[in-house]
Amino acid sequence: SAYVFGPTPVADAIDRVRALQLEAGDSMALQAGAATTLGRLLAMQGDFEQARDLYASGQDFYQSAGMAVSAAGITLHGAWIEHHAGDPTATEEYLRQGADELQVLGSWAFFSTVAVRLAQLLYEQSRFEEARDMSAVAREASPPDDLINFVFADAIDGCLLSHDGRHEEAAALLRRAVEGVETTDFFFARFFLMQLCGARSIAIHRVPIFTSM
């Protein structure tokens, strides 16, 4: 995941993951992890066919090994691929599948991350009431120390408040989200907030949100 979410250029990350595949040898668990990581990286380059094949191979391993939580959790990887492929319907199907399975398994840490990603997707489609409900579900399920989940939930809820015309409350939540993400090096969370908060900053009556971002 560090190669997917970190600052390494995609082409370099692909080379490094392929090297890890060679080092993994006969370890099917390591090969499965490398496959789903490589699939996400290839999706970022637009190679969706190979990305889907790699995701499917990793998913097959986790299911056959009886690793139900891992199998449900990596639906996030399938969703990532379909999101980059521009297919919101397939993205949502993966996220809902993962959320349903993780809820049954009682894996709340994984579930909450899938739920907050689903809330984000719903917001991006202007399905505001569904996004509001899913964000609340994600908050309730998230471990208290899961900073990124709360950053995303604050950002989504802040934008929903702005949409409702509650600009001061919106600005407070968006500012809290920015302050939280500024303590991390999570590039994609920072990019998401820059998009989200930048789009809403004018609507929030010029209330300043950003500090050092």
Side-chain angles (χ1 to χ4, degrees):
S1 290
Y3 287 130
V4 175
F5 296 118
T8 306
V10 173
D12 293 343
I14 287 172
D15 289 342
R16 294 181 192 181
V17 174
R18 284 181 167 148
L20 289 174
Q21 286 181 305
L22 294 174
E23 294 173 13
D26 295 332
S27 172
M28 295 304 295
L30 292 177
Q31 290 288 358
T36 60
T37 298
L38 184 57
R40 286 180 288 168
L41 291 167
L42 289 173
M44 294 166 72
Q45 287 192 326
D47 189 350
F48 303 117
E49 183 175 355
Q50 190 175 0
R52 290 177 178 123
D53 287 345
L54 286 164
Y55 168 77
S57 69
Q59 183 64 260
D60 287 346
F61 166 76
Y62 290 123
Q63 290 184 6
S64 64
M67 300 170 66
V69 171
S70 295
I74 67 163
T75 55
L76 281 166
H77 302 185
W80 172 280
I81 292 166
E82 297 305 334
H83 175 74
H84 281 78
D87 189 340
T89 300
T91 303
E92 182 175 348
E93 287 173 356
Y94 272 120
L95 293 172
R96 290 197 181 278
Q97 175 193 341
D100 290 345
E101 292 175 359
L102 290 163
Q103 192 169 25
V104 169
L105 292 165
S107 180
W108 301 114
F110 257 139
F111 168 81
S112 61
T113 299
V114 175
V116 81
R117 176 65 185 92
L118 181 54
Q120 177 190 350
L121 179 68
L122 294 168
Y123 175 81
E124 289 169 353
Q125 297 180 68
S126 299
R127 294 159 62 182
F128 297 134
E129 290 310 310
E130 292 177 82
R132 195 188 314 273
D133 291 344
M134 188 55 62
S135 179
V137 168
R139 280 187 188 276
E140 179 67 23
S142 293
D145 60 350
D146 194 329
L147 173 64
I148 292 299
N149 275 7
F150 289 111
V151 162
F152 273 75
D154 281 348
I156 293 162
D157 291 345
C159 287
L160 290 168
L161 287 170
S162 174
H163 181 264
D164 294 341
R166 297 162 62 182
H167 300 303
E168 294 295 333
E169 295 169 83
L173 273 184
L174 290 169
R175 193 178 299 112
R176 187 170 75 181
V178 171
E179 289 170 355
V181 83
E182 283 179 336
T183 67
T184 79
D185 59 357
F186 192 174
F187 169 79
F188 285 99
R190 285 171 170 256
F191 179 72
F192 168 67
L193 287 185
M194 289 179 71
Q195 283 188 311
L196 209 57
C197 297
R200 284 293 174 188
S201 61
I202 296 175
I204 303 176
H205 294 179
R206 301 176 183 268
V207 176
I209 296 170
F210 293 103
T211 55
S212 63
M213 284 182 69

